[in-house]
Amino acid sequence: MKYFIFSDIHGNIEALNAVLAEFDRESETGELIPVCLGDIVGYGPNPRECIEVIRHRRIFSLAGNHDYAAIGKMDISFFNPYAKDAVLWTKSVLEDEDVEFLESLPIRKKMNTINLVHATPCNPEQWNYLVTLYDAQHNFECFNTQVTFVGHSHQPIFIVQKQSKDCWVHPHPILCFRNGWRYIINVGSVGQPRDGNPEASFVIYDEESKIVEIKRIPYDIVLTQKKMRDLSLPTYLINRLEMGR
Ligand code: ZN
């Protein structure tokens, strides 16, 4: 089985459509399963349109913290002021059917040989960030598949663990799994990348060849920014898109 995995769309329909156009192109060469790791909404100007596309295409999706926040399922007092403003705006535009859909999304999923969560393999409902190798070490103990795919930090990364439990970051965008080694892979963000590259990020994983690759695709950032400006969404959120920060 081959998977096309992406995360953190954040109401950015231009970025989502660019990624799904890439999915359609890649699908021409064989069956590809699309998977979304959550945060369909929050920050961006088109939360309803993004939900509609995911629903219409019947793409499996997990719930992210912003999806929960937008339907009042979690406390947003710890969100930064920009995220909070964007969540409140998102909440104000969602219709009942959107809320019902977001409500139905699971928080973790095992799909054949892969494990999927939005935040961390350990206690995914706490929405912690997996940023250090120390965090990774502990998180490898919370799943029993060879690989877990995560989103949440908006920074694509491959973390590798040897049998000896030593962990490190694989520095290239392509990787072939070794027997006995284990992996935590952050697929980056579709709608608000934060690794210095503003292009939408996604991953393709081939379960048979065990090859995984992080890919980037440009989208119409200027149009997304214009929509955000027209809606008076926070300037900080508008500017960060072009910097990928
Ligand atoms: Zn996110």
Side-chain angles (χ1 to χ4, degrees):
M1 216 52 96
K2 220 168 157 185
Y3 302 89
F4 184 102
I5 311 173
F6 57 94
S7 189
D8 297 271
I9 301 161
H10 286 292
N12 187 335
I13 191 73
E14 282 73 37
L16 178 60
N17 284 338
V19 164
L20 291 178
E22 204 52 31
F23 168 78
D24 292 337
R25 257 190 299 277
E26 295 276 356
S27 299
E28 285 168 12
T29 56
E31 200 195 347
L32 195 55
I33 298 174
V35 173
C36 171
L37 302 180
D39 275 3
I40 299 171
V41 306
Y43 296 129
N46 292 109
R48 297 206 66 212
E49 291 77 1
C50 291
I51 291 174
E52 171 61 26
V53 167
I54 297 291
R55 285 182 73 174
H56 183 76
R57 284 181 170 249
R58 299 173 189 276
I59 295 174
F60 170 80
S61 181
L62 294 173
N65 51 322
H66 284 257
D67 302 319
Y68 268 23
I71 58 172
K73 221 171 161 176
M74 72 173 279
D75 178 18
I76 59 166
S77 54
F78 294 108
F79 273 44
N80 69 55
Y82 313 106
K84 207 182 279 181
D85 281 359
V87 161
L88 294 174
W89 175 81
T90 301
K91 202 171 180 177
S92 74
V93 298
L94 293 185
E95 300 282 342
D96 289 350
E97 55 177 6
D98 305 320
V99 173
E100 244 167 70
F101 175 73
L102 294 179
E103 183 105 56
S104 73
L105 303 179
I107 227 158
R108 70 178 98 210
K109 171 89 177 169
K110 202 172 149 194
M111 207 178 259
N112 301 320
T113 65
I114 64 176
N115 187 45
L116 309 166
V117 287
H118 179 71
T120 53
C122 299
N123 307 312
E125 69 289 346
Q126 290 178 8
W127 312 114
N128 292 321
Y129 287 90
L130 201 166
V131 280
T132 65
L133 289 177
Y134 177 79
D135 299 333
Q137 203 114 35
H138 148 74
N139 271 287
F140 273 111
E141 287 164 26
C142 291
F143 62 99
N144 51 23
T145 51
Q146 188 178 19
V147 58
T148 290
F149 291 93
V150 305
H152 196 43
S153 73
H154 300 204
Q155 299 182 343
I157 195 170
F158 292 146
I159 299 170
V160 187
Q161 189 194 51
K162 271 212 269 200
Q163 284 101 327
S164 63
K165 308 283 183 202
D166 280 347
C167 291
W168 70 94
V169 173
H170 175 80
H172 307 293
I174 188 159
L175 171 66
C176 184
F177 290 179
R178 285 209 204 177
N179 284 339
W181 290 19
R182 299 177 73 221
Y183 303 86
I184 294 175
I185 292 174
N186 193 310
V187 303
S189 168
V190 170
Q192 196 202 73
R194 294 179 193 159
D195 61 327
N197 178 352
E199 295 186 347
S201 177
F202 60 95
V203 150
I204 294 182
Y205 173 56
D206 186 335
E207 214 164 32
E208 226 162 281
S209 65
K210 303 246 178 188
I211 291 174
V212 62
E213 186 172 4
I214 292 175
K215 298 197 169 207
R216 306 302 284 257
I217 183 97
Y219 71 94
D220 192 345
I221 294 178
V222 173
L223 177 57
T224 307
Q225 290 178 314
K226 183 186 179 310
K227 289 181 180 178
M228 292 173 80
R229 231 171 269 126
D230 291 347
L231 290 164
S232 304
L233 288 168
T235 308
Y236 169 75
L237 297 180
I238 298 171
N239 292 340
R240 73 187 303 180
L241 291 182
E242 72 202 49
M243 298 181 286
R245 288 279 172 212

